Amino acid sequence: MKKPSIGVSSCLGGVKCRYDGGSNPVDQLQTLVQQGEAVMICPEVIGGLQTPRTPAEIVGGDGFAVWQNQAKVITKTGEDVTESFKAGAIKAFAELQEAGVTTVVLKAKSPSCGCGLIYDGSFSGVKITGVGVATAYFINQGLMVLSDEDWLKKTTEGASIHGA
Ligand code: SF4
């Protein structure tokens, strides 16, 4: 078995762990997972949330603001799931560390894995600049983070890398 070189959001690897029970498979990332070159993490599931689950958005800022206790993760029905998101980020990071990876490719726009753009907390489809809760934690811990969109561009023409 090869040692994984990157971490990826589980839903990008084809796992049906999205809030609605779906996935966001990216062929090239699925191939890396199958070849043992990528390890999958889903911070929300690792944090103890069920699938399917009520959608959640960050209210009051982005993932960095959550870690500074200036924003919260709230579901569409008003439940505060901030602690589950934070616990999942910490556990997911531990799994990435154990696997020895320092680069992660995360699902764009997610309140956990978002990178570059996230939804604004109004559940109206409006996006703001920012990152998800897990993404902020990973960047704070020194990981290199790319969105799936950036990674796909990078594999063809080069793209920006967020984080260290
Ligand atoms: S938390 Fe991340 S890995 Fe899990 S479903 Fe959401 S975007 Fe995918």
PDB file of all heavy atoms in Angstrom, residues 8-12 15 17-19 22 24 41-45 53 85 106-108 110-114, ligand 1:
ATOM      1  N   VAL A   8      -8.103  14.459   1.126  1.00  0.00           N
ATOM      2  CA  VAL A   8      -9.207  15.004   0.325  1.00  0.00           C
ATOM      3  C   VAL A   8     -10.505  14.927   1.131  1.00  0.00           C
ATOM      4  O   VAL A   8     -10.680  14.038   1.972  1.00  0.00           O
ATOM      5  CB  VAL A   8      -9.404  14.242  -1.018  1.00  0.00           C
ATOM      6  CG1 VAL A   8      -8.152  14.308  -1.860  1.00  0.00           C
ATOM      7  CG2 VAL A   8      -9.843  12.813  -0.805  1.00  0.00           C
ATOM      8  N   SER A   9     -11.411  15.860   0.862  1.00  0.00           N
ATOM      9  CA  SER A   9     -12.756  15.762   1.434  1.00  0.00           C
ATOM     10  C   SER A   9     -13.381  14.450   0.958  1.00  0.00           C
ATOM     11  O   SER A   9     -13.342  14.125  -0.236  1.00  0.00           O
ATOM     12  CB  SER A   9     -13.631  16.913   0.943  1.00  0.00           C
ATOM     13  OG  SER A   9     -13.169  18.144   1.419  1.00  0.00           O
ATOM     14  N   SER A  10     -13.973  13.708   1.896  1.00  0.00           N
ATOM     15  CA  SER A  10     -14.520  12.394   1.547  1.00  0.00           C
ATOM     16  C   SER A  10     -15.534  12.465   0.415  1.00  0.00           C
ATOM     17  O   SER A  10     -15.596  11.578  -0.441  1.00  0.00           O
ATOM     18  CB  SER A  10     -15.184  11.765   2.773  1.00  0.00           C
ATOM     19  OG  SER A  10     -14.246  11.562   3.792  1.00  0.00           O
ATOM     20  N   CYS A  11     -16.354  13.547   0.398  1.00  0.00           N
ATOM     21  CA  CYS A  11     -17.380  13.633  -0.647  1.00  0.00           C
ATOM     22  C   CYS A  11     -16.760  13.777  -2.033  1.00  0.00           C
ATOM     23  O   CYS A  11     -17.346  13.350  -3.028  1.00  0.00           O
ATOM     24  CB  CYS A  11     -18.352  14.772  -0.360  1.00  0.00           C
ATOM     25  SG  CYS A  11     -17.573  16.385  -0.181  1.00  0.00           S
ATOM     26  N   LEU A  12     -15.530  14.337  -2.112  1.00  0.00           N
ATOM     27  CA  LEU A  12     -14.844  14.438  -3.397  1.00  0.00           C
ATOM     28  C   LEU A  12     -14.335  13.070  -3.844  1.00  0.00           C
ATOM     29  O   LEU A  12     -14.143  12.823  -5.032  1.00  0.00           O
ATOM     30  CB  LEU A  12     -13.664  15.414  -3.307  1.00  0.00           C
ATOM     31  CG  LEU A  12     -14.001  16.867  -3.007  1.00  0.00           C
ATOM     32  CD1 LEU A  12     -12.723  17.673  -2.816  1.00  0.00           C
ATOM     33  CD2 LEU A  12     -14.854  17.471  -4.123  1.00  0.00           C
ATOM     34  N   VAL A  15     -17.621   9.444  -1.383  1.00  0.00           N
ATOM     35  CA  VAL A  15     -18.392   8.994  -0.223  1.00  0.00           C
ATOM     36  C   VAL A  15     -19.661   9.848  -0.107  1.00  0.00           C
ATOM     37  O   VAL A  15     -19.615  11.075  -0.263  1.00  0.00           O
ATOM     38  CB  VAL A  15     -17.553   9.124   1.074  1.00  0.00           C
ATOM     39  CG1 VAL A  15     -18.385   8.712   2.285  1.00  0.00           C
ATOM     40  CG2 VAL A  15     -16.293   8.279   0.974  1.00  0.00           C
ATOM     41  N   CYS A  17     -21.453  11.484   1.966  1.00  0.00           N
ATOM     42  CA  CYS A  17     -21.453  12.042   3.320  1.00  0.00           C
ATOM     43  C   CYS A  17     -21.943  13.474   3.353  1.00  0.00           C
ATOM     44  O   CYS A  17     -21.904  14.124   4.394  1.00  0.00           O
ATOM     45  CB  CYS A  17     -20.052  11.940   3.917  1.00  0.00           C
ATOM     46  SG  CYS A  17     -18.757  12.662   2.883  1.00  0.00           S
ATOM     47  N   ARG A  18     -22.414  13.983   2.215  1.00  0.00           N
ATOM     48  CA  ARG A  18     -22.940  15.347   2.208  1.00  0.00           C
ATOM     49  C   ARG A  18     -24.191  15.459   3.068  1.00  0.00           C
ATOM     50  O   ARG A  18     -24.869  14.460   3.321  1.00  0.00           O
ATOM     51  CB  ARG A  18     -23.305  15.750   0.772  1.00  0.00           C
ATOM     52  CG  ARG A  18     -22.195  16.444   0.044  1.00  0.00           C
ATOM     53  CD  ARG A  18     -22.544  16.696  -1.374  1.00  0.00           C
ATOM     54  NE  ARG A  18     -23.953  16.979  -1.617  1.00  0.00           N
ATOM     55  CZ  ARG A  18     -24.418  17.561  -2.704  1.00  0.00           C
ATOM     56  NH1 ARG A  18     -23.583  17.932  -3.644  1.00  0.00           N
ATOM     57  NH2 ARG A  18     -25.701  17.754  -2.865  1.00  0.00           N
ATOM     58  N   TYR A  19     -24.540  16.659   3.456  1.00  0.00           N
ATOM     59  CA  TYR A  19     -25.720  16.865   4.313  1.00  0.00           C
ATOM     60  C   TYR A  19     -26.967  16.220   3.725  1.00  0.00           C
ATOM     61  O   TYR A  19     -27.846  15.731   4.439  1.00  0.00           O
ATOM     62  CB  TYR A  19     -25.956  18.364   4.567  1.00  0.00           C
ATOM     63  CG  TYR A  19     -26.517  19.105   3.370  1.00  0.00           C
ATOM     64  CD1 TYR A  19     -27.898  19.242   3.202  1.00  0.00           C
ATOM     65  CD2 TYR A  19     -25.683  19.623   2.393  1.00  0.00           C
ATOM     66  CE1 TYR A  19     -28.423  19.893   2.096  1.00  0.00           C
ATOM     67  CE2 TYR A  19     -26.195  20.264   1.281  1.00  0.00           C
ATOM     68  CZ  TYR A  19     -27.565  20.395   1.136  1.00  0.00           C
ATOM     69  OH  TYR A  19     -28.090  21.018   0.030  1.00  0.00           O
ATOM     70  N   GLY A  22     -25.709  12.983  -0.518  1.00  0.00           N
ATOM     71  CA  GLY A  22     -25.048  12.855  -1.811  1.00  0.00           C
ATOM     72  C   GLY A  22     -23.538  12.950  -1.683  1.00  0.00           C
ATOM     73  O   GLY A  22     -22.984  12.987  -0.581  1.00  0.00           O
ATOM     74  N   ASN A  24     -19.784  14.442  -4.092  1.00  0.00           N
ATOM     75  CA  ASN A  24     -19.297  15.346  -5.144  1.00  0.00           C
ATOM     76  C   ASN A  24     -18.073  14.717  -5.815  1.00  0.00           C
ATOM     77  O   ASN A  24     -16.978  15.274  -5.764  1.00  0.00           O
ATOM     78  CB  ASN A  24     -18.871  16.691  -4.544  1.00  0.00           C
ATOM     79  CG  ASN A  24     -19.968  17.348  -3.738  1.00  0.00           C
ATOM     80  OD1 ASN A  24     -20.068  17.169  -2.524  1.00  0.00           O
ATOM     81  ND2 ASN A  24     -20.810  18.091  -4.399  1.00  0.00           N
ATOM     82  N   ILE A  41     -11.139  12.470   4.437  1.00  0.00           N
ATOM     83  CA  ILE A  41     -11.664  12.903   5.734  1.00  0.00           C
ATOM     84  C   ILE A  41     -12.969  13.686   5.499  1.00  0.00           C
ATOM     85  O   ILE A  41     -13.077  14.450   4.554  1.00  0.00           O
ATOM     86  CB  ILE A  41     -10.665  13.781   6.530  1.00  0.00           C
ATOM     87  CG1 ILE A  41     -10.024  14.849   5.643  1.00  0.00           C
ATOM     88  CG2 ILE A  41      -9.587  12.945   7.198  1.00  0.00           C
ATOM     89  CD1 ILE A  41     -10.597  16.193   5.701  1.00  0.00           C
ATOM     90  N   CYS A  42     -13.957  13.458   6.362  1.00  0.00           N
ATOM     91  CA  CYS A  42     -15.176  14.268   6.363  1.00  0.00           C
ATOM     92  C   CYS A  42     -15.313  14.863   7.763  1.00  0.00           C
ATOM     93  O   CYS A  42     -15.775  14.175   8.688  1.00  0.00           O
ATOM     94  CB  CYS A  42     -16.419  13.449   6.020  1.00  0.00           C
ATOM     95  SG  CYS A  42     -17.931  14.458   6.145  1.00  0.00           S
ATOM     96  N   PRO A  43     -14.918  16.106   7.953  1.00  0.00           N
ATOM     97  CA  PRO A  43     -14.942  16.698   9.291  1.00  0.00           C
ATOM     98  C   PRO A  43     -16.320  16.662   9.955  1.00  0.00           C
ATOM     99  O   PRO A  43     -16.415  16.495  11.181  1.00  0.00           O
ATOM    100  CB  PRO A  43     -14.474  18.139   9.049  1.00  0.00           C
ATOM    101  CG  PRO A  43     -13.671  18.073   7.797  1.00  0.00           C
ATOM    102  CD  PRO A  43     -14.341  17.020   6.956  1.00  0.00           C
ATOM    103  N   GLU A  44     -17.381  16.821   9.176  1.00  0.00           N
ATOM    104  CA  GLU A  44     -18.715  16.861   9.798  1.00  0.00           C
ATOM    105  C   GLU A  44     -19.112  15.487  10.334  1.00  0.00           C
ATOM    106  O   GLU A  44     -19.645  15.367  11.442  1.00  0.00           O
ATOM    107  CB  GLU A  44     -19.745  17.404   8.797  1.00  0.00           C
ATOM    108  CG  GLU A  44     -19.505  18.882   8.528  1.00  0.00           C
ATOM    109  CD  GLU A  44     -20.420  19.483   7.471  1.00  0.00           C
ATOM    110  OE1 GLU A  44     -21.556  19.015   7.300  1.00  0.00           O
ATOM    111  OE2 GLU A  44     -19.975  20.445   6.805  1.00  0.00           O
ATOM    112  N   VAL A  45     -18.830  14.435   9.573  1.00  0.00           N
ATOM    113  CA  VAL A  45     -19.141  13.079  10.048  1.00  0.00           C
ATOM    114  C   VAL A  45     -18.217  12.711  11.209  1.00  0.00           C
ATOM    115  O   VAL A  45     -18.659  12.170  12.229  1.00  0.00           O
ATOM    116  CB  VAL A  45     -19.029  12.067   8.885  1.00  0.00           C
ATOM    117  CG1 VAL A  45     -19.081  10.638   9.415  1.00  0.00           C
ATOM    118  CG2 VAL A  45     -20.157  12.302   7.875  1.00  0.00           C
ATOM    119  N   ARG A  53     -28.275  15.250   7.104  1.00  0.00           N
ATOM    120  CA  ARG A  53     -28.397  16.173   8.246  1.00  0.00           C
ATOM    121  C   ARG A  53     -28.932  17.513   7.744  1.00  0.00           C
ATOM    122  O   ARG A  53     -28.872  17.805   6.543  1.00  0.00           O
ATOM    123  CB  ARG A  53     -27.035  16.364   8.936  1.00  0.00           C
ATOM    124  CG  ARG A  53     -25.926  16.788   7.991  1.00  0.00           C
ATOM    125  CD  ARG A  53     -24.546  16.733   8.663  1.00  0.00           C
ATOM    126  NE  ARG A  53     -23.466  16.919   7.694  1.00  0.00           N
ATOM    127  CZ  ARG A  53     -22.936  15.954   6.937  1.00  0.00           C
ATOM    128  NH1 ARG A  53     -23.385  14.718   7.035  1.00  0.00           N
ATOM    129  NH2 ARG A  53     -21.964  16.204   6.089  1.00  0.00           N
ATOM    130  N   PHE A  85     -18.708  20.921  14.639  1.00  0.00           N
ATOM    131  CA  PHE A  85     -17.828  21.306  13.522  1.00  0.00           C
ATOM    132  C   PHE A  85     -16.379  21.462  14.008  1.00  0.00           C
ATOM    133  O   PHE A  85     -15.445  21.048  13.329  1.00  0.00           O
ATOM    134  CB  PHE A  85     -18.320  22.621  12.886  1.00  0.00           C
ATOM    135  CG  PHE A  85     -19.330  22.412  11.787  1.00  0.00           C
ATOM    136  CD1 PHE A  85     -20.562  21.827  12.036  1.00  0.00           C
ATOM    137  CD2 PHE A  85     -19.049  22.799  10.486  1.00  0.00           C
ATOM    138  CE1 PHE A  85     -21.489  21.635  11.014  1.00  0.00           C
ATOM    139  CE2 PHE A  85     -19.960  22.607   9.453  1.00  0.00           C
ATOM    140  CZ  PHE A  85     -21.186  22.025   9.721  1.00  0.00           C
ATOM    141  N   LEU A 106      -9.975  20.306  -0.635  1.00  0.00           N
ATOM    142  CA  LEU A 106     -11.243  20.340   0.096  1.00  0.00           C
ATOM    143  C   LEU A 106     -12.374  20.865  -0.776  1.00  0.00           C
ATOM    144  O   LEU A 106     -12.163  21.673  -1.681  1.00  0.00           O
ATOM    145  CB  LEU A 106     -11.096  21.209   1.349  1.00  0.00           C
ATOM    146  CG  LEU A 106     -10.027  20.758   2.353  1.00  0.00           C
ATOM    147  CD1 LEU A 106      -9.969  21.732   3.526  1.00  0.00           C
ATOM    148  CD2 LEU A 106     -10.288  19.345   2.848  1.00  0.00           C
ATOM    149  N   LYS A 107     -13.577  20.446  -0.444  1.00  0.00           N
ATOM    150  CA  LYS A 107     -14.764  20.797  -1.231  1.00  0.00           C
ATOM    151  C   LYS A 107     -15.101  22.279  -1.090  1.00  0.00           C
ATOM    152  O   LYS A 107     -15.343  22.775   0.010  1.00  0.00           O
ATOM    153  CB  LYS A 107     -15.948  19.949  -0.768  1.00  0.00           C
ATOM    154  CG  LYS A 107     -17.251  20.287  -1.433  1.00  0.00           C
ATOM    155  CD  LYS A 107     -17.257  19.824  -2.878  1.00  0.00           C
ATOM    156  CE  LYS A 107     -18.482  20.330  -3.618  1.00  0.00           C
ATOM    157  NZ  LYS A 107     -18.350  21.728  -4.090  1.00  0.00           N
ATOM    158  N   ALA A 108     -15.143  22.958  -2.213  1.00  0.00           N
ATOM    159  CA  ALA A 108     -15.442  24.386  -2.214  1.00  0.00           C
ATOM    160  C   ALA A 108     -16.816  24.678  -1.616  1.00  0.00           C
ATOM    161  O   ALA A 108     -17.744  23.880  -1.743  1.00  0.00           O
ATOM    162  CB  ALA A 108     -15.389  24.916  -3.650  1.00  0.00           C
ATOM    163  N   SER A 110     -18.225  24.623   1.250  1.00  0.00           N
ATOM    164  CA  SER A 110     -18.793  23.950   2.428  1.00  0.00           C
ATOM    165  C   SER A 110     -18.504  24.748   3.704  1.00  0.00           C
ATOM    166  O   SER A 110     -17.444  25.363   3.818  1.00  0.00           O
ATOM    167  CB  SER A 110     -18.154  22.556   2.544  1.00  0.00           C
ATOM    168  OG  SER A 110     -18.117  22.132   3.874  1.00  0.00           O
ATOM    169  N   PRO A 111     -19.420  24.725   4.693  1.00  0.00           N
ATOM    170  CA  PRO A 111     -19.131  25.411   5.961  1.00  0.00           C
ATOM    171  C   PRO A 111     -17.987  24.757   6.733  1.00  0.00           C
ATOM    172  O   PRO A 111     -17.409  25.373   7.628  1.00  0.00           O
ATOM    173  CB  PRO A 111     -20.450  25.312   6.736  1.00  0.00           C
ATOM    174  CG  PRO A 111     -21.172  24.157   6.126  1.00  0.00           C
ATOM    175  CD  PRO A 111     -20.760  24.124   4.683  1.00  0.00           C
ATOM    176  N   SER A 112     -17.646  23.508   6.390  1.00  0.00           N
ATOM    177  CA  SER A 112     -16.465  22.862   6.982  1.00  0.00           C
ATOM    178  C   SER A 112     -15.255  22.997   6.081  1.00  0.00           C
ATOM    179  O   SER A 112     -14.197  23.442   6.496  1.00  0.00           O
ATOM    180  CB  SER A 112     -16.708  21.357   7.190  1.00  0.00           C
ATOM    181  OG  SER A 112     -17.533  21.112   8.266  1.00  0.00           O
ATOM    182  N   CYS A 113     -15.432  22.558   4.834  1.00  0.00           N
ATOM    183  CA  CYS A 113     -14.297  22.392   3.923  1.00  0.00           C
ATOM    184  C   CYS A 113     -14.116  23.549   2.953  1.00  0.00           C
ATOM    185  O   CYS A 113     -13.179  23.540   2.162  1.00  0.00           O
ATOM    186  CB  CYS A 113     -14.477  21.098   3.128  1.00  0.00           C
ATOM    187  SG  CYS A 113     -14.465  19.601   4.139  1.00  0.00           S
ATOM    188  N   GLY A 114     -15.002  24.548   2.976  1.00  0.00           N
ATOM    189  CA  GLY A 114     -14.936  25.640   2.016  1.00  0.00           C
ATOM    190  C   GLY A 114     -13.584  26.333   2.017  1.00  0.00           C
ATOM    191  O   GLY A 114     -12.907  26.416   3.034  1.00  0.00           O
TER     192      GLY A 114
HETATM  193  S1  SF4 B   1     -17.757  18.157   5.615  1.00  0.00           S
HETATM  194 FE1  SF4 B   1     -16.375  18.290   3.866  1.00  0.00          FE
HETATM  195  S2  SF4 B   1     -16.059  16.127   3.335  1.00  0.00           S
HETATM  196 FE2  SF4 B   1     -17.858  16.182   4.614  1.00  0.00          FE
HETATM  197  S3  SF4 B   1     -19.568  16.326   3.175  1.00  0.00           S
HETATM  198 FE3  SF4 B   1     -19.033  18.423   3.782  1.00  0.00          FE
HETATM  199  S4  SF4 B   1     -17.615  19.119   2.191  1.00  0.00           S
HETATM  200 FE4  SF4 B   1     -17.721  16.893   2.053  1.00  0.00          FE
END
